[in-house]
Amino acid sequence: MNGLLIILVILMVIFVIMMIAMTISIIKLTRQIRQTQQNVEVISQRIAMEL
């Protein structure tokens, strides 16, 4: 019983670490998407100015 409890606790810790890592990567991705959107807007404005 004691060994099973230790394994469960270890699995929970791994799960929490994975959740934190996923959250961080999602935040980084959303930042990248925003930057890309801004770049696209700048480029499209330049194209509109040239036309």
Side-chain angles (χ1 to χ4, degrees), residues 1-2 4 7-8 11-12 16-17 20-21 24 26 30-31 33-37 39 42 46 48-50:
M1 183 65 192
N2 208 5
L4 188 69
I7 291 169
L8 275 173
L11 283 173
M12 282 290 293
V16 168
I17 290 168
I20 291 167
I24 290 168
I26 288 168
T30 49
R31 282 183 184 167
I33 290 167
R34 276 194 204 134
Q35 281 182 340
T36 309
Q37 252 181 342
N39 290 344
V42 167
R46 283 181 190 165
M49 295 268 279
E50 286 175 15

Side-chain angles (χ1 to χ4, degrees), residues 5-50:
L5 197 69
I6 291 167
I7 291 169
L8 275 173
V9 169
I10 290 169
L11 283 173
M12 282 290 293
V13 169
I14 290 168
F15 183 74
V16 168
I17 290 168
M18 282 175 61
M19 287 291 290
I20 291 167
M22 274 182 59
T23 308
I24 290 168
S25 62
I26 288 168
I27 290 168
K28 284 183 179 177
L29 257 174
T30 49
R31 282 183 184 167
Q32 275 186 333
I33 290 167
R34 276 194 204 134
Q35 281 182 340
T36 309
Q37 252 181 342
Q38 286 174 347
N39 290 344
V40 168
E41 283 174 14
V42 167
I43 291 166
S44 58
Q45 282 175 357
R46 283 181 190 165
I47 292 167
M49 295 268 279
E50 286 175 15

